[in-house]
Amino acid sequence: MASRTRPLRAPLRSLPDLPDVFIDATVITPGDDLGGRRWGGLPDVVDAPRATLEECVLDGVRCDDLVLAHGALRDVELRDVRVTRLGLRGARLRSVRIVGGRIGTLDLGDATLDAVLCEGVRVDYVSLGRATVTDVEFDRCTVTTLDAPAARLTRVALPGTRVGELDLRDATLTDVDLRGADIEHHVDPRALSGATITEQQAQFLARDLAVAIGIDVRG
């Protein structure tokens, strides 16, 4: 009897639950616990580890470093931010939306992501090493390098997203949908085990995959 293919589960979207009125703020400091705030600007360098933002908006913020390592973002929206480095290593993100803007480095190593949506964002480097990533979608984004070694990816999709280089070595993939992505280079095609791709993408990968498993391809 032929085996049945299990239906592919799409990421579950949970957009930020935001208040109608915000309190305007201009700074974030280490260990802050802030709710209902709106930032329209920040200093060039913000180093605020362990800060918690809940039901907040960063709107058009421009800065060099915005570091919230080991903090928490719950029901947070980032609108058209332009940040050289957004440091969220070891942070916990739930119901977060990043829309528009430009980010140099998005550091999410060792972070926990639950229901995160990136829309129309341009990012040079995304780091997801050893992160736990659930219900995450990159929608119509441009990512130069997406680096996710040893990450756990569940219900992840990249519709309409262009990726220059994808590294999934030692990652665990469940319901990862790459069919809508334009990926130029896979560091190791063998790491795609568990992902769903199109027949055209499979043909594009055929030679690299053959070489990766030790087949001598000539001609």
Side-chain angles (χ1 to χ4, degrees):
M1 180 182 294
S3 61
R4 294 182 179 179
T5 301
R6 183 178 61 82
L8 181 67
R9 296 177 297 170
L12 302 176
R13 284 197 178 187
S14 177
L15 297 178
D17 185 9
L18 299 172
D20 295 328
V21 179
F22 296 94
I23 300 170
D24 286 333
T26 57
V27 296
I28 307 172
T29 58
D32 274 348
D33 190 350
L34 303 171
R37 301 299 205 276
R38 175 192 172 277
W39 290 269
L42 282 168
D44 284 341
V45 177
V46 176
D47 189 7
R50 303 177 306 283
T52 296
L53 310 183
E54 188 164 2
E55 297 183 353
C56 293
V57 169
L58 285 81
D59 195 353
V61 167
R62 309 288 195 267
C63 62
D64 290 332
D65 270 11
L66 176 53
V67 179
L68 306 171
H70 304 287
L73 277 66
R74 296 188 290 268
D75 292 304
V76 172
E77 187 162 282
L78 288 76
R79 302 171 181 163
D80 193 31
V81 301
R82 295 183 178 272
V83 181
T84 303
R85 180 170 69 108
L86 180 54
L88 296 167
R89 178 166 291 273
R92 300 178 305 281
L93 284 69
R94 187 184 71 203
S95 298
V96 173
R97 180 176 181 243
I98 305 175
V99 56
R102 173 75 181 266
I103 300 171
T105 295
L106 177 55
D107 186 359
L108 292 160
D110 296 304
T112 301
L113 284 68
D114 186 2
V116 175
L117 173 62
C118 296
E119 288 184 295
V121 188
R122 185 171 181 178
V123 190
D124 292 334
Y125 179 69
V126 178
S127 173
L128 285 166
R130 299 180 303 279
T132 300
V133 181
T134 306
D135 293 320
V136 170
E137 193 170 352
F138 286 84
D139 185 358
R140 294 169 289 110
C141 297
T142 300
V143 179
T144 303
T145 300
L146 202 165
D147 195 14
R152 297 183 64 86
L153 309 177
T154 304
R155 294 191 300 275
V156 174
L158 283 71
T161 290
R162 183 180 180 87
V163 179
E165 180 176 275
L166 179 63
D167 186 356
L168 295 172
R169 287 175 293 182
D170 299 318
T172 301
L173 279 56
T174 305
D175 294 309
V176 173
D177 189 355
L178 301 179
R179 291 175 297 176
D182 179 5
I183 303 171
E184 293 181 16
H185 175 64
H186 294 267
V187 172
D188 186 351
R190 293 171 297 182
L192 289 170
S193 177
T196 298
I197 61 176
T198 66
E199 183 175 345
Q200 184 178 3
Q201 287 171 317
Q203 292 171 351
F204 177 78
L205 281 168
R207 187 183 190 283
D208 288 342
L209 183 57
V211 171
I213 63 176
I215 298 174
D216 184 8
V217 180
R218 304 186 185 189

Coordinates of all heavy atoms in Angstrom, one line a residue, residues 18 24 33 48-49 56 62 70 80 83 88-89 95 110 113 115 121 135 141 145-146 149-150 157 163 173 175 188 194:
L18 N -2.4 45.2 19.9 CA -1.9 46.5 20.3 C -3.0 47.4 20.8 O -4.1 47.4 20.3 CB -1.2 47.2 19.1 CG 0.0 46.4 18.5 CD1 0.5 47.0 17.2 CD2 1.2 46.3 19.6
D24 N 4.3 57.8 24.5 CA 5.5 58.0 23.8 C 6.7 57.8 24.7 O 6.8 58.3 25.8 CB 5.5 59.4 23.2 CG 4.6 59.5 22.0 OD1 4.3 58.5 21.3 OD2 4.1 60.6 21.7
D33 N 10.8 46.9 32.1 CA 9.6 46.2 31.8 C 8.5 47.2 31.4 O 7.9 47.9 32.2 CB 9.1 45.5 33.1 CG 8.0 44.5 32.8 OD1 7.4 44.5 31.7 OD2 7.6 43.7 33.8
A48 N 20.3 47.2 26.0 CA 19.3 47.0 27.1 C 19.0 45.6 27.2 O 17.9 45.1 27.0 CB 18.0 47.8 26.7
P49 N 20.0 44.8 27.7 CA 19.7 43.3 27.9 C 18.6 43.1 29.0 O 18.4 43.9 29.9 CB 21.1 42.8 28.4 CG 21.8 44.0 29.0 CD 21.3 45.2 28.1
C56 N 3.9 47.0 22.4 CA 4.7 48.2 22.0 C 4.9 48.3 20.5 O 4.8 47.3 19.8 CB 6.0 48.2 22.7 SG 5.9 48.4 24.5
R62 N 15.5 54.8 13.7 CA 16.8 54.7 13.0 C 17.9 54.7 14.1 O 18.0 55.6 14.9 CB 17.0 55.9 12.1 CG 15.9 56.2 11.1 CD 15.8 55.2 10.0 NE 15.0 55.7 8.9 CZ 13.7 55.4 8.8 NH1 13.1 54.7 9.7 NH2 13.1 55.8 7.7
H70 N 18.5 38.5 25.6 CA 17.9 37.8 26.7 C 16.7 38.5 27.3 O 16.3 38.3 28.5 CB 19.0 37.5 27.8 CG 20.2 36.8 27.3 ND1 20.1 35.5 27.0 CD2 21.4 37.3 27.0 CE1 21.3 35.1 26.5 NE2 22.1 36.2 26.5
D80 N 9.0 49.9 9.7 CA 10.0 50.6 8.9 C 11.2 51.0 9.7 O 11.7 52.2 9.6 CB 9.3 51.9 8.3 CG 10.2 52.5 7.2 OD1 11.0 51.8 6.5 OD2 10.1 53.7 7.0
V83 N 18.1 49.7 11.2 CA 19.0 49.4 12.3 C 20.2 48.6 11.7 O 20.0 47.6 11.0 CB 18.3 48.6 13.4 CG1 19.2 48.3 14.5 CG2 17.0 49.3 13.9
L88 N 19.0 40.3 19.3 CA 17.9 39.6 20.1 C 18.4 38.2 20.6 O 17.6 37.3 20.7 CB 16.6 39.5 19.3 CG 16.0 40.9 19.0 CD1 14.9 40.7 18.0 CD2 15.4 41.6 20.3
R89 N 19.7 38.1 20.7 CA 20.2 36.7 21.1 C 19.7 36.3 22.4 O 19.7 37.1 23.4 CB 21.7 36.8 21.2 CG 22.4 35.5 21.6 CD 23.9 35.6 21.3 NE 24.1 35.5 19.9 CZ 24.2 34.4 19.2 NH1 24.1 33.2 19.7 NH2 24.5 34.5 17.9
S95 N 4.2 36.8 19.1 CA 3.3 37.7 18.4 C 4.1 39.0 18.1 O 3.7 40.1 18.5 CB 2.1 38.0 19.2 OG 1.3 36.8 19.4
D110 N 20.0 31.4 19.6 CA 19.6 30.9 20.9 C 18.2 31.5 21.3 O 17.8 31.3 22.5 CB 20.6 31.1 22.0 CG 21.9 30.3 21.7 OD1 21.8 29.1 21.5 OD2 23.0 31.0 21.6
L113 N 11.3 31.9 19.2 CA 10.4 32.7 18.4 C 9.1 31.9 18.2 O 9.0 30.7 17.9 CB 10.9 32.9 17.0 CG 12.0 34.0 16.8 CD1 13.3 33.5 17.4 CD2 12.3 34.2 15.3
A115 N 5.2 32.7 16.6 CA 4.4 33.6 15.8 C 5.0 35.0 15.5 O 4.6 36.0 16.0 CB 3.0 33.8 16.6
V121 N 10.8 43.1 4.5 CA 12.0 43.6 5.2 C 13.2 43.2 4.4 O 13.3 42.1 3.8 CB 12.1 43.0 6.6 CG1 13.2 43.6 7.4 CG2 10.8 43.1 7.4
D135 N 6.1 28.8 13.9 CA 5.1 29.7 13.3 C 5.7 31.0 12.9 O 5.3 32.1 13.4 CB 3.9 29.9 14.3 CG 3.1 28.7 14.5 OD1 2.9 27.9 13.5 OD2 2.6 28.4 15.6
C141 N 10.4 39.2 1.6 CA 11.6 39.8 2.2 C 12.8 39.5 1.3 O 12.7 38.7 0.4 CB 11.9 39.2 3.6 SG 10.6 39.6 4.8
T145 N 21.9 36.6 3.7 CA 22.3 35.3 4.3 C 21.4 34.9 5.4 O 21.1 35.7 6.3 CB 23.8 35.4 4.9 OG1 24.7 35.7 3.8 CG2 24.2 34.0 5.5
L146 N 20.8 33.7 5.4 CA 20.0 33.2 6.4 C 20.7 32.0 7.0 O 20.9 31.0 6.4 CB 18.6 32.8 5.9 CG 17.5 32.7 7.0 CD1 16.1 32.6 6.3 CD2 17.7 31.5 7.9
P149 N 22.1 27.2 11.7 CA 22.7 25.9 12.1 C 22.1 25.4 13.4 O 22.0 26.2 14.4 CB 24.2 26.1 12.1 CG 24.3 27.6 12.4 CD 23.2 28.2 11.7
A150 N 21.8 24.2 13.5 CA 21.3 23.5 14.8 C 20.0 24.2 15.3 O 19.7 24.0 16.5 CB 22.4 23.5 15.8
A157 N 7.7 29.4 6.8 CA 7.5 29.6 5.4 C 8.2 30.9 4.9 O 8.4 31.8 5.7 CB 6.1 29.6 5.0
V163 N 16.5 34.7 -1.0 CA 17.6 34.4 0.0 C 18.9 34.2 -0.8 O 18.9 33.3 -1.7 CB 17.3 33.2 0.8 CG1 18.4 32.9 1.8 CG2 16.0 33.4 1.6
L173 N 13.9 20.2 10.9 CA 12.9 20.9 10.1 C 11.6 20.1 10.2 O 11.6 18.9 9.9 CB 13.3 21.0 8.7 CG 14.3 22.2 8.3 CD1 15.6 22.1 9.1 CD2 14.6 22.1 6.8
D175 N 7.5 20.8 8.9 CA 6.6 21.7 8.2 C 7.3 23.0 7.8 O 6.8 24.1 8.0 CB 5.4 22.0 9.1 CG 4.5 20.7 9.3 OD1 4.2 20.1 8.3 OD2 4.2 20.4 10.5
D188 N 24.6 23.4 2.4 CA 24.6 21.9 2.4 C 23.2 21.4 2.0 O 22.3 21.4 2.9 CB 25.0 21.3 3.7 CG 25.2 19.8 3.7 OD1 24.8 19.2 2.7 OD2 25.7 19.3 4.7
G194 N 13.3 17.2 5.5 CA 12.2 17.7 6.3 C 11.5 18.9 5.7 O 10.4 19.3 6.1

